[in-house]
Amino acid sequence: MKRLILASLIATAVTAAAPALAAGEAKNVIFFLGDGMGPSTITASRIYKYGEDGSLQMDKLERTARIRTYANDAQTTDSAPSMAAYMTGVKMNNEVLSMSADTVNVDPSKDANGNATINNCSATNGKPVPTILELAKAKGKAVGSITTTELTHATPAATYSHICSRNAAYAIAAQAIPGGAGYNTALGDGVDVLMGGGRNHFTPFDATTNKTGRGDGRNLLTELAAKGYTVAATKAEMAAAPNNKKFIGIYSSRSHLEYELDRTATPPLGEGATQPSLAEMTVKAIDLLSQNSNGFFLMVEGGRIDHALHNTNAKRALTDTIAFDDAIKAAIDKIKLTDPNLTNTLIVVTADHDHTLAINGYGKKGNPILDINRDYKTGLPTKDADGNTYTTLVFGNGPNRPNLRTNLESATVLADNYKQETSIRLSSETHGGGDVKLFATGAGSKIFKGSIDNTKVFNLLKTAFGF
Ligand SMILES: [Zn+2]
């Protein structure tokens, strides 16, 4: 009896403590992820668009933290375990998505058509671990995951799927289809809002045009439509979609959405003419998700910042970072229409890992960040020890490493397709292992502070939600 009373006293104490922890509880959480958006990419983007004295939208959020990003088996992470750490609180191996720490990466193999549709993740290879999106869904909230990459890419996939390989895109897509084979039942009646690229992972093999697609012959978009989803392929179809239904928008037939620089070029490149901006996608996602009176969880990824950095093409990395930052602004403006002080809504902005971009030399204030370096005293081009000019932005590794450096001209380095010089020659630039930044504002944001591990962010999101 005494034990029972004691137990009930402890239970009461725990219950009584809970409201204090949950003070500023967030009804809604929007989690922004700039893929590969390390600290120097943020600084360079700020200077590119707003100057040294200016601020990005993300710079204006009151709460900040630094995040350690290493993976379970690697000093430098890829986007799978780093995003999965934010979403699940578990430190896992490189290339693994939202699985237990013992899960070993095994890549899919190719089918007769040459597409990697055969999933090699066995049922005994680790266990799924719950994601914050699944927890929010289980609490009756609406949930969404939107990106500028393929919808099955590592970052969005970490929110709604569990698998031993980020490359198993076709199996990842199947996990999002309610009632279908391979469905992730932890999603309840399904993710309410999905947007991105890579339609080929959702549609049957197309022997004529794309030469890619599902080996199992399923059309997952038809299956989603049968489950009540609006299926959109363009910005116009997205705009016309009713807000009271589930929604999937896939704006690219076989790959990622276009870079912002190409989407907004005249004329736009590829499918860019019909693709929405990330800001437009974000506002529509909020319109759709806010129909649920229990609140929502939304993940928004600026996914191609990373791709441009891998290419050491700083111009596209900076313009995609600005587009990502514009999406943050659009979301805050939209939320403030109904929640002026963000008393119900938490906004978190972070990156999954760094890159090897460096801001280099003692450039003059106001010198264009993409240009050759100019001395802060004289304004004249700065020279290396061999007498050649160089750019302010350089990378630790990547494809453009001249055996012998030569003089660089502004016209060359300011061109859209210019690849910055690097120290080590690699065909594709690698991620960096340094800490990244986190910014937060709104309901429950006070707890985001200090120098913390990426897995801790999951706990903070849960606390802010009051879960
Ligand atoms: Zn990457």
Side-chain angles (χ1 to χ4, degrees):
M1 189 63 180
K2 262 190 179 163
R3 288 182 66 149
L4 265 179
I5 291 168
L6 188 61
S8 100
L9 278 175
I10 291 168
T12 310
V14 169
T15 317
L21 265 180
E25 186 175 309
K27 181 181 166 191
N28 314 309
V29 172
I30 309 180
F31 188 86
F32 284 92
L33 193 288
D35 200 311
M37 188 187 67
S40 52
T41 296
I42 293 173
T43 305
S45 300
R46 179 195 307 135
I47 295 171
Y48 176 72
K49 175 77 179 185
Y50 301 107
E52 292 85 350
D53 301 326
S55 289
L56 296 162
Q57 177 63 47
M58 67 182 93
D59 290 324
K60 297 175 185 167
L61 310 190
E62 316 81 318
R63 313 290 176 188
T64 59
R66 289 300 285 251
I67 313 290
R68 306 161 194 201
T69 66
Y70 66 94
N72 191 44
D73 61 347
Q75 285 176 337
T76 297
T77 187
D78 78 275
S79 295
S82 50
M83 180 58 171
Y86 292 148
M87 294 297 101
T88 69
V90 175
K91 184 79 78 177
M92 60 200 77
N93 293 329
N94 262 356
E95 307 199 60
V96 173
L97 284 169
S98 299
M99 297 287 290
S100 51
D102 57 331
T103 309
V104 178
N105 167 244
V106 186
D107 276 334
S109 37
K110 288 185 177 174
D111 61 20
N113 301 320
N115 296 304
T117 67
I118 301 165
N119 175 20
N120 292 319
C121 298
S122 77
T124 54
N125 183 6
K127 291 186 182 64
V129 287
T131 70
I132 192 78
L133 180 145
E134 290 166 349
L135 296 177
K137 184 76 189 183
K139 296 278 185 187
K141 294 182 186 293
V143 297
S145 195
I146 69 174
T147 179
T148 52
T149 66
E150 293 171 340
L151 182 51
T152 54
H153 215 245
T155 302
T159 69
Y160 67 81
S161 75
H162 308 271
I163 200 150
C164 79
S165 171
R166 57 176 289 174
N167 299 312
Y170 295 89
I172 290 168
Q175 291 200 28
I177 316 304
Y183 180 54
N184 171 20
T185 54
L187 297 173
D189 67 356
V191 182
D192 301 276
V193 175
L194 291 164
M195 299 190 207
R199 193 175 302 111
N200 55 314
H201 301 127
F202 291 81
T203 51
F205 177 67
D206 167 8
T208 50
T209 324
N210 276 338
K211 312 233 184 289
T212 171
R214 302 187 63 82
D216 60 9
R218 287 172 69 186
N219 188 326
L220 305 185
L221 297 178
T222 308
E223 292 180 31
L224 285 172
K227 292 284 176 185
Y229 280 74
T230 304
V231 179
T234 63
K235 172 177 165 170
E237 289 176 6
M238 177 185 87
N243 288 331
N244 59 355
K245 290 177 72 182
K246 288 193 170 64
F247 177 85
I248 182 164
I250 301 197
Y251 311 115
S252 175
S253 55
R254 54 165 298 156
S255 185
H256 311 295
L257 275 61
E258 299 297 335
Y259 287 111
E260 184 67 5
L261 190 68
D262 301 321
R263 193 186 70 81
T264 55
T266 13
L269 203 77
E271 295 172 296
T274 60
Q275 290 172 349
S277 68
L278 187 60
E280 290 163 340
M281 289 160 64
T282 303
V283 168
K284 180 64 180 185
I286 294 170
D287 277 333
L288 288 152
L289 296 170
S290 57
Q291 304 295 312
N292 185 323
S293 57
N294 292 326
F296 64 82
F297 172 78
L298 172 64
M299 193 289 294
V300 179
E301 185 196 23
R304 305 216 64 199
I305 300 165
D306 177 70
H307 297 162
L309 292 168
H310 279 301
N311 219 7
T312 66
N313 176 220
K315 190 168 193 174
R316 283 185 176 78
L318 304 193
T319 46
D320 260 52
T321 302
I322 297 300
F324 175 68
D325 192 61
D326 288 346
I328 298 164
K329 180 167 193 326
I332 292 174
D333 289 349
K334 175 78 180 170
I335 295 291
K336 282 190 169 175
L337 295 176
T338 51
D339 183 9
N341 300 312
L342 300 179
T343 47
N344 296 315
T345 306
L346 170 66
I347 309 267
V348 176
V349 180
T350 190
D352 48 357
H353 55 76
D354 197 2
H355 270 268
T356 70
L357 178 69
I359 301 172
N360 169 62
Y362 298 104
K364 187 175 177 65
K365 190 177 171 200
N367 189 51
I369 193 71
L370 290 168
D371 208 341
I372 56 170
N373 196 273
R374 291 188 179 85
D375 181 74
Y376 73 98
K377 279 188 178 156
T378 65
L380 295 170
T382 321
K383 305 282 178 68
D384 69 10
D386 302 316
N388 295 313
T389 57
Y390 58 87
T391 53
T392 300
L393 297 183
V394 297
F395 286 80
N397 64 63
N400 181 18
R401 199 222 49 199
N403 287 334
L404 195 61
R405 291 206 66 252
T406 53
N407 216 51
L408 289 171
E409 304 292 340
S410 282
T412 306
V413 304
L414 293 174
D416 288 354
N417 295 328
Y418 179 70
K419 295 182 182 192
Q420 271 68 21
E421 287 179 314
T422 75
S423 169
I424 296 164
R425 193 198 319 280
L426 291 180
S427 59
S428 175
E429 185 259 1
T430 69
H431 296 173
D435 296 353
V436 296
K437 290 181 167 181
L438 180 146
F439 309 89
T441 190
S445 62
K446 271 187 213 161
I447 56 179
F448 291 84
K449 60 185 178 184
S451 172
I452 59 177
D453 190 74
N454 55 7
T455 53
K456 176 95 186 289
V457 172
F458 169 75
N459 298 315
L460 298 178
L461 290 172
K462 272 208 315 183
T463 301
F465 252 146
F467 293 174

